[in-house]
Amino acid sequence: MGIKHAFTLPSVPKENKQKLKETVLEENWKRTKLFAIIILIFEAILLVRQLPGGIDLYVGLYLGLFSAAAIYLLCIYIMGKRRSRLATE
């Protein structure tokens, strides 16, 4: 099994291909949310550890990364809500 197989879907009958794509997409959504939450936690820990030393470049960088991860998580949440709303219509 090479690296090529990591980026391709297994061969399935045509009638099941759409269901497989939806399942893979749903699993990727879950992983993406988990990843964003983990990044937020790590950035918060690093930010809290850096604050006693005063406001410096690292605090600004940690705040920037924390904000980017929070915005990313917010976008994922909004897109998930929109997707579920479209699926029910």
Side-chain angles (χ1 to χ4, degrees), residues 55-76:
I55 305 286
D56 61 355
L57 175 65
Y58 289 110
V59 171
L61 292 173
Y62 292 142
L63 279 173
L65 290 171
F66 184 86
S67 300
I71 291 169
Y72 184 70
L73 192 59
L74 181 65
C75 289
I76 291 170

Side-chain angles (χ1 to χ4, degrees), residues 1-11:
M1 236 186 180
I3 195 162
K4 176 184 167 192
H5 295 290
F7 298 103
T8 58
L9 292 175
S11 60

Side-chain angles (χ1 to χ4, degrees), residues 15-80:
E15 58 272 0
N16 294 338
K17 195 170 274 199
Q18 183 63 29
K19 183 66 177 164
L20 176 64
K21 285 182 180 180
E22 289 172 5
T23 303
V24 169
L25 180 66
E26 189 65 35
E27 289 300 315
N28 286 341
W29 274 108
K30 290 176 187 175
R31 287 187 190 108
T32 302
K33 283 190 247 183
L34 178 63
F35 180 71
I37 290 169
I38 290 169
I39 294 297
L40 278 173
I41 291 169
F42 281 132
E43 291 300 327
I45 291 169
L46 291 171
L47 187 61
V48 168
R49 288 192 61 191
Q50 190 70 30
L51 279 176
I55 305 286
D56 61 355
L57 175 65
Y58 289 110
V59 171
L61 292 173
Y62 292 142
L63 279 173
L65 290 171
F66 184 86
S67 300
I71 291 169
Y72 184 70
L73 192 59
L74 181 65
C75 289
I76 291 170
Y77 177 77
I78 291 169
M79 289 171 60

